[in-house]
Amino acid sequence: MDQDIIKHKDEIPQPTKEDFVSDQMVKWCPGCGDHAILSSVEKVFPKLGVRKEDFVVVSGIGCSSRFPYYMNTYGIHGIHGRAAAIATGVKLANPKLSVWMITGDGDCMAIGGNHFIHAVRRNIDINILLFNNKIYGLTKGQFSPTTPKGFKTKSSPQGTFEQPFNAGELVIGAQGNFFARAIDNNPKMMVEVLFEAARHTGTTVVEILQNCVIFNNNIHELISSRDTRDDNQIFLKHGEPMLFGKGKKKGILLRGTQLEVVELGKNGITEKDILVHNIYNPDPGVHIMLSRMTPPAFPAALGVIRSVTESSFDQNMEEVIEQSKRDSKIKNVDDLLRSGNTWKI
Amino acid sequence: MGTKRNKPVQEKDDVVIRFAGDSGDGMQLTGSLFSDSTAFAGNDFATFPDYPAEIRAPQGTIAGVSGFQVHFGHTNIHTSGDLADVLVAMNPASLKANLKWLKDNATVIVDTDAFVEKAFDKAGYDGNPLEDETLEGYRVIHAPISEMTRDAVHDLGLENKVALKSKNMFALGIVLYLFNRKLDKIYKAFEEKFKSNPLVVEANKRVLRSGYNFADTVEAISPTFNVEPAELKKGLYRNITGNTATAWGFIAASERSGRELFLGSYPITPASEILQELTKHKELTVKAFQAEDEIAGICSAIGASYTGSLAITTTSGPGLSLKSEAIGLAVMTELPIVIVDVQRGGPSTGLPTKSEQSDLMQALFGRNGECPTIVMAASSPTDCFYSAYHAAKISMEHMTPVILLTDGSLANGSEIFRIPRVADLMEINPPLVPPNDEDYKPYKRDEKKLNRRWAVPGTEGLRHRIGGLEKENIEGNVSHDPENHQLMTQLREEKVNRVADFIPEQELIGDSKGDLLIVSWGGTKGVMLTAVEEMHKENQNVSLAHFNHINPLPKNTEEIFSKFKKIVVCELNNGQFVNYLKMKFPEFTYQQYNKIQGLPFMVSELKREFYALLSK
Ligand code: SF4
């Protein structure tokens, strides 16, 4: 995608945020986290140097999946769980397009789990925005694959008795090269993260912690609220020590094979002991541990957690096609029909 | 190649020969080499492989028998034949498995070296079938094939196991002698096939020759047979299987329409060869994507279709079930896509390697909501080429999904294919929208066909959204309006119905009126045609309407039906097309003839049925 950004930059007039706002009424509940995400995406798209005709927004089913109708781009609102497969087809058919997939925790990791992990594994160059509200909104409040164990919902009146997925762990375990996390009430951070995702070649997954005011209000409160967030979130930046908390007095340290929260100045800990974030590390070990950090024991990791560069599936496919065109004697269908064993009568 | 021959020769119109042996005996290669030699002899022919469902079933058992049948003649050949004139049986199990498919007086060639105590047991014979009455009435050629194969190559220094690998060529040598064929074409094939291994080429040549010479010395091999070249239309020919023809039909449609071909598919028997064939042709910009499952196969194709590709997905019955919801999405978004269902025996996993026509109802109705698609069926291996081409054309020009039904018999069966020129194929004109077309609305329709137009991402001035939610007529915004839903439902239906104005009228073989109209569809055409042609020769007044277009039906269908006293619908299922016809044209009375054994119809059973109906 980087190349496309550069290629188009000088040729085309810069679109504006308004270019991407659709004329359709946005029908999410007032106060839903989705509104903030929409606004961030509308801010990011004009700045990517991509022609407005070259964006395609693809989604599955769920509250978040109405997204394409609210963006003035090309878009497909698909069927439940299949957005990754549809997006794959779009990208392979025309690798020049900038393909964005919008999905939720149920759409992506329950019914669409298979397509999701395989898109990630193939490293197809699409950007996946995973809105995680840890609940089924559109079907009115059943638990999802990310709902915390023991949580009471309409379909788990006694509390769930199953382990939830951690999106980052799943993505990285599925050979994912790019994983980032943002939260709906910090648009500045979200915009920054979305830029990073857009710049990356290959599948990117941005998990956005999104609040469902109706069915799961305040599920991310520890991480998001003004009072608690300093101790419960850490905005990771490549090359910087992992510090957080009021006045950046706390940090993350790697002791043995495990992460640990420490306080600067206590037990002789100085900034030098603190783990420095390396998004490019191909070894997924630390990235998985960072993804798994959960409040209150750990701060939730936000920002880009992993960004490893490898050629994408679509690039590889294009290369093989070009190579075959050069090498093959078959130049058209008439050649094909006459190849191999034939005889005249 | 001077070959002394001292046997009388008997002329034959057509011959069916079946090669049978253990999975490891190389019967597929033997059969296809014999087919090559048949091509050079100028005969018309069709072939069918018959292999076990298991990859390596236990050696020597019935389950492990692999067969290859060739039907050739100097008249037109429509099928791979039902009963065989010649059987090559490399072991007792293959004899046992195939005996019921032999004509009376058939010639049976056996490897006597394989008829030993141990092998009888495995095959389920009590004793040696060569020594009891099992083969009474057949002309049996006893050949010590294994031993003579070893003799033929003993001075080449091959290991016993390696030497015995070419014993199938000894059998082929006998058969070539029996049909007065030349050896040099087969030699050439060896040279090509085993290019990297001259020793193997030499071994195969020697063994083939040795089989041929052996046949010359055996008195039982008399008379030999000759089949004169067929009178075929002048042109360039090749042998092609249904699956390859399907794949190539789509590539041709892609070239002719200027739309890149995208396949999203998941491997499934008996459709996988289409995926394998298409993935070879990247030089023609074919994008074949092996997806993680059937659903991803079709959904990726829908994505590619939206993006302007000729998009297809290939599968068999179980896969079609999994694709149902996504077909609904394609119907709703009114995107072109061809779904190929290579039917096999069902339900569930059913009979994966056997053929059936039992997915018709699923293709027509197997989706939620009012969800019409075009349904077509291919009628022969070569027709798969034209059906795929035509399905792609209709799908793109009418902006609607097409389900193309083929089946396991067509897929793996082969026949000779007169190679067309792409320029001679029908034009394909997809309704693409030019950039900045002020008139463009996502659901604005063509007046005649009722199709919406194709606005491809990347095109300036046409940004729009589509999806599975009901859309407002013309504008294409999400709409829950009751009247609009009814209107859109009717429009989608009417769009499919109007395809009838763009497909050929139903062909009728035989008189346009009479006592008995035989109706069939899809992959059974060859056998239906053979039965009807034979009955015409026997001066019977029967006619055949064999359908390729199922939904919509050709416009003259009702007219044809109205001219006959009796109508019998023949299909390899429990009566699906007949029920569909009852729904469409309830004014007629239908008889039905169904077979659901995973086996094709036989000419003899069809004729018996038709004669019975005529005399009733
Ligand atoms: S139900 Fe929840 S997720 Fe859905 S729109 Fe309302 S607030 Fe947002």
Side-chain angles (χ1 to χ4, degrees):
Chain A
M1 175 133 53
D2 306 38
Q3 287 161 356
D4 284 337
I5 293 178
I6 296 158
K7 192 168 64 202
H8 289 308
K9 205 147 201 168
D10 309 323
E11 301 166 14
I12 53 161
Q14 283 287 305
T16 62
K17 181 174 175 184
E18 283 63 44
D19 281 322
F20 293 101
V21 179
S22 92
D23 59 354
Q24 294 299 294
M25 204 214 312
V26 177
K27 290 185 186 156
W28 289 312
C29 307
C32 171
D34 292 358
H35 296 284
I37 307 174
L38 178 64
S39 162
S40 296
V41 172
E42 284 166 351
K43 261 187 223 142
V44 170
F45 274 20
K47 304 218 172 86
L48 295 178
V50 176
R51 287 164 70 232
K52 53 186 189 283
E53 287 81 12
D54 285 345
F55 286 101
V56 181
V57 182
V58 181
S59 67
I61 295 292
C63 288
S64 60
S65 289
R66 296 297 171 94
F67 205 95
Y69 293 125
Y70 307 144
M71 293 287 299
N72 189 6
T73 61
Y74 285 95
I76 313 180
H77 177 219
I79 43 178
H80 204 10
R82 319 303 170 200
I86 297 171
T88 296
V90 171
K91 185 69 187 181
L92 293 183
N94 183 357
K96 291 201 186 80
L97 299 172
S98 177
V99 181
W100 294 72
M101 170 184 148
I102 313 295
T103 183
D105 37 314
D107 188 55
C108 188
M109 286 183 277
I111 191 167
N114 200 31
H115 311 305
F116 177 55
I117 57 174
H118 287 281
V120 167
R121 171 181 70 81
R122 289 190 191 102
N123 199 31
I124 181 127
D125 189 15
I126 57 177
N127 303 300
I128 301 177
L129 308 190
L130 164 51
F131 297 16
N132 187 359
N133 55 19
K134 306 197 173 184
I135 197 81
Y136 283 104
L138 197 62
T139 52
K140 302 193 166 70
Q142 302 82 6
F143 66 88
S144 90
T146 54
T147 304
K149 190 171 181 182
F151 204 79
K152 287 186 178 159
T153 70
K154 277 195 188 154
S155 55
S156 60
Q158 301 85 6
T160 70
F161 29 88
E162 55 181 65
Q163 283 298 340
F165 272 139
N166 173 294
E169 194 180 10
L170 185 64
V171 167
I172 298 169
Q175 316 298 307
N177 289 326
F178 185 102
F179 179 73
R181 195 182 282 139
I183 188 152
D184 59 3
N185 74 343
N186 187 344
K188 193 166 157 272
M189 184 199 294
M190 194 166 11
V191 166
E192 233 180 285
V193 165
L194 292 178
F195 263 115
E196 290 304 315
R199 278 167 31 123
H200 183 90
T201 300
T203 311
T204 67
V205 179
V206 180
E207 179 189 19
I208 303 169
L209 305 178
Q210 175 245 331
N211 193 37
C212 170
V213 281
I214 305 295
F215 297 108
N216 210 7
N217 199 16
N218 296 330
I219 181 71
H220 304 300
E221 196 181 15
L222 269 186
I223 307 167
S224 63
S225 100
R226 203 180 281 268
D227 304 335
T228 52
R229 69 184 173 202
D230 287 341
D231 284 335
N232 289 295
Q233 63 162 259
I234 177 168
F235 187 14
L236 295 171
K237 298 222 162 154
H238 176 71
E240 292 182 14
M242 299 179 190
L243 294 169
F244 68 104
K246 266 222 166 64
K248 302 272 179 216
K249 289 279 168 31
K250 293 186 185 179
I252 307 285
L253 181 137
L254 183 65
R255 197 184 300 278
T257 57
Q258 276 172 343
L259 299 181
E260 196 178 302
V261 174
V262 291
E263 273 181 51
L264 294 184
K266 255 196 188 168
N267 300 324
I269 299 280
T270 68
E271 210 183 293
K272 271 201 232 121
D273 300 313
I274 302 300
L275 197 54
V276 173
H277 189 35
N278 178 6
I279 57 175
Y280 305 122
N281 188 0
D283 187 304
V286 172
H287 294 153
I288 290 181
M289 286 193 275
L290 290 170
S291 308
R292 283 176 56 98
M293 295 195 305
T294 311
F298 284 92
L302 303 178
V304 177
I305 292 173
R306 177 176 175 79
S307 177
V308 173
T309 309
E310 247 183 66
S311 63
S312 68
F313 183 94
D314 38 297
Q315 284 176 336
N316 297 340
M317 188 182 239
E318 289 299 303
E319 269 166 33
V320 181
I321 287 174
E322 287 315 313
Q323 186 67 39
S324 309
K325 280 185 179 166
R326 281 194 297 273
D327 294 350
S328 174
K329 274 190 233 142
I330 296 173
K331 299 295 176 201
N332 53 46
V333 176
D334 282 324
D335 292 347
L336 171 67
L337 293 170
R338 284 155 187 78
S339 61
N341 235 346
T342 62
W343 67 92
K344 248 208 178 98
I345 286 180
Chain B
M1 176 109 3
T3 317
K4 68 170 186 335
R5 310 196 49 109
N6 31 32
K7 303 281 177 68
V9 177
Q10 187 185 323
E11 291 298 327
K12 284 255 189 194
D13 278 349
D14 70 314
V15 171
V16 176
I17 171 159
R18 188 180 264 248
F19 298 91
D22 213 54
S23 306
D25 283 343
M27 290 298 105
Q28 306 300 322
L29 175 64
T30 315
S32 73
L33 285 173
F34 185 77
S35 310
D36 291 348
S37 126
T38 306
F40 291 116
N43 298 131
D44 191 1
F45 69 93
T47 75
F48 189 70
D50 181 13
Y51 30 65
E54 290 75 22
I55 304 300
R56 284 268 177 268
Q59 227 184 349
T61 62
I62 301 255
V65 173
S66 161
F68 194 98
Q69 183 158 308
V70 185
H71 182 197
F72 59 103
H74 89 95
T75 52
N76 276 344
I77 298 296
H78 305 311
T79 73
S80 55
D82 30 69
L83 298 181
D85 300 275
V86 178
L87 170 68
V88 173
M90 300 299 283
N91 66 7
S94 42
L95 181 69
K96 178 137 190 186
N98 288 292
L99 217 46
K100 57 178 177 292
W101 306 118
L102 292 189
K103 286 185 190 160
D104 303 341
N105 308 322
T107 301
V108 180
I109 301 166
V110 292
D111 178 6
T112 48
D113 293 338
F115 282 71
V116 294
E117 208 59 49
K118 226 173 42 195
F120 304 146
D121 237 27
K122 278 196 191 161
Y125 278 123
D126 290 338
N128 188 345
L130 304 182
E131 284 164 5
D132 56 24
E133 68 288 359
T134 309
L135 294 176
E136 236 164 62
Y138 299 115
R139 165 160 80 147
V140 185
I141 296 166
H142 296 257
I145 293 179
S146 302
E147 188 195 322
M148 295 190 73
T149 298
R150 263 193 302 260
D151 286 353
V153 296
H154 78 275
D155 57 344
L156 289 181
L158 296 169
E159 268 179 60
N160 189 34
K161 243 188 170 168
V162 179
L164 279 182
K165 270 202 164 157
S166 28
K167 71 179 177 184
N168 52 340
M169 293 306 133
F170 192 94
L172 182 61
I174 300 177
V175 175
L176 292 175
Y177 182 89
L178 189 61
F179 290 99
N180 290 287
R181 292 276 176 75
K182 295 206 173 95
L183 300 185
D184 48 354
K185 293 288 177 197
I186 309 292
Y187 287 174
K188 259 218 187 98
F190 290 155
E191 280 157 19
E192 246 164 60
K193 186 161 174 62
F194 305 113
K195 228 186 284 174
S196 57
N197 201 336
L199 199 59
V200 173
V201 174
E202 180 58 23
N204 277 300
K205 281 186 182 176
R206 283 198 196 183
V207 174
L208 186 78
R209 177 97 209 166
S210 163
Y212 192 93
N213 290 343
F214 166 83
D216 193 43
T217 62
V218 173
E219 255 164 55
I221 304 186
S222 177
T224 60
F225 302 121
N226 181 48
V227 178
E228 283 294 303
E231 277 178 29
L232 293 163
K233 217 169 150 187
K234 274 208 166 64
L236 191 65
Y237 283 80
R238 67 179 307 127
N239 185 16
I240 198 164
T241 65
N243 271 348
T244 301
T246 304
W248 289 9
F250 286 121
I251 305 179
S254 161
E255 184 174 294
R256 199 81 165 94
S257 64
R259 300 283 94 204
E260 268 179 15
L261 179 58
F262 180 93
L263 165 73
S265 183
Y266 186 74
I268 185 169
T269 303
S272 306
E273 293 83 9
I274 306 176
L275 164 66
Q276 287 159 210
E277 181 60 31
L278 284 174
T279 204
K280 277 192 231 160
H281 295 296
K282 297 202 171 59
E283 77 280 4
L284 299 175
T285 326
V286 176
K287 293 179 177 172
F289 171 60
Q290 180 174 319
E292 57 275 17
D293 60 24
E294 295 280 358
I295 299 172
I298 184 167
C299 285
S300 61
I302 289 172
S305 169
Y306 180 65
T307 313
S309 295
L310 162 54
I312 63 170
T313 184
T314 49
T315 189
S316 185
L320 186 63
S321 306
L322 287 164
K323 293 181 198 293
S324 303
E325 187 194 11
I327 296 173
L329 178 64
V331 166
M332 200 63 161
T333 51
E334 305 195 32
L335 285 171
I337 179 172
V338 182
I339 301 110
V340 180
D341 173 8
V342 186
Q343 298 169 97
R344 63 191 217 185
S348 188
T349 309
L351 306 170
T353 59
K354 302 290 173 199
S355 195
E356 217 165 87
Q357 297 185 299
S358 48
D359 293 345
L360 180 65
M361 285 297 188
Q362 177 174 222
L364 284 166
F365 306 116
R367 291 168 291 282
N368 65 306
E370 297 285 342
C371 199
T373 64
I374 295 164
V375 178
M376 292 170 58
S379 55
S380 72
T382 55
D383 183 58
C384 286
F385 177 85
Y386 294 102
S387 289
Y389 185 89
H390 204 187
K393 174 182 160 72
I394 295 180
S395 181
M396 287 190 280
E397 291 182 347
H398 296 258
M399 294 291 283
T400 189
V402 175
I403 298 180
L404 172 61
L405 299 171
T406 73
D407 61 47
S409 301
L410 298 184
N412 294 313
S414 83
E415 61 181 357
I416 65 171
F417 178 40
R418 188 166 172 274
I419 300 169
R421 287 235 158 250
V422 175
D424 296 335
L425 301 172
M426 276 181 286
E427 267 182 42
I428 303 179
N429 296 306
L432 290 163
V433 190
N436 297 314
D437 185 335
E438 304 258 320
D439 204 34
Y440 174 70
K441 303 262 189 222
Y443 281 81
K444 197 170 166 190
R445 292 169 192 280
D446 177 82
E447 276 176 23
K448 257 208 217 132
K449 296 196 184 99
L450 291 182
N451 62 284
R452 68 181 200 94
R453 291 191 294 159
W454 205 356
V456 173
T459 318
E460 218 172 278
L462 305 176
R463 285 171 294 159
H464 67 283
R465 275 70 50 198
I466 56 171
L469 283 170
E470 182 63 282
K471 295 297 181 292
E472 180 191 354
N473 187 28
I474 303 170
E475 296 297 331
N477 293 318
V478 174
S479 165
H480 291 95
D481 180 76
E483 314 256 296
N484 178 73
H485 179 51
Q486 181 145 9
L487 174 67
M488 291 299 270
T489 303
Q490 284 159 352
L491 283 168
R492 285 188 288 264
E493 171 100 28
E494 179 60 17
K495 177 181 64 168
V496 170
N497 290 343
R498 285 200 192 175
V499 171
D501 296 336
F502 299 86
I503 57 173
E505 292 217 319
Q506 178 58 42
E507 184 196 12
L508 187 69
I509 292 152
D511 289 347
S512 61
K513 56 177 189 279
D515 295 335
L516 181 61
L517 175 68
I518 299 161
V519 172
S520 52
W521 66 276
T524 56
K525 183 170 186 183
V527 67
M528 302 306 303
L529 201 56
T530 309
V532 167
E533 282 176 357
E534 283 186 16
M535 287 183 72
H536 284 169
K537 277 190 201 139
E538 292 152 18
N539 290 320
Q540 298 302 316
N541 181 356
V542 292
S543 300
L544 171 68
H546 184 87
F547 285 81
N548 289 64
H549 286 276
I550 313 278
N551 193 38
L553 287 163
K555 285 202 285 192
N556 58 333
T557 303
E558 201 168 2
E559 158 93 20
I560 290 179
F561 285 10
S562 69
K563 302 278 170 57
F564 289 86
K565 285 193 194 131
K566 280 182 192 160
I567 300 171
V568 60
V569 183
C570 309
E571 39 185 341
L572 298 171
N573 59 35
N574 230 4
Q576 301 192 10
F577 191 47
V578 72
N579 277 316
Y580 175 66
L581 290 172
K582 281 179 191 166
M583 188 181 99
K584 289 275 171 185
F585 311 115
E587 67 269 36
F588 305 116
T589 309
Y590 302 89
Q591 318 279 331
Q592 62 192 78
Y593 184 63
N594 303 100
K595 179 170 177 180
I596 183 138
Q597 305 173 356
L599 295 170
F601 283 129
M602 301 223 287
V603 175
S604 53
E605 64 191 1
L606 288 172
K607 281 172 66 182
R608 202 179 316 127
E609 177 71 16
F610 302 153
Y611 272 106
L613 280 168
L614 283 172
S615 67
K616 250 186 230 163

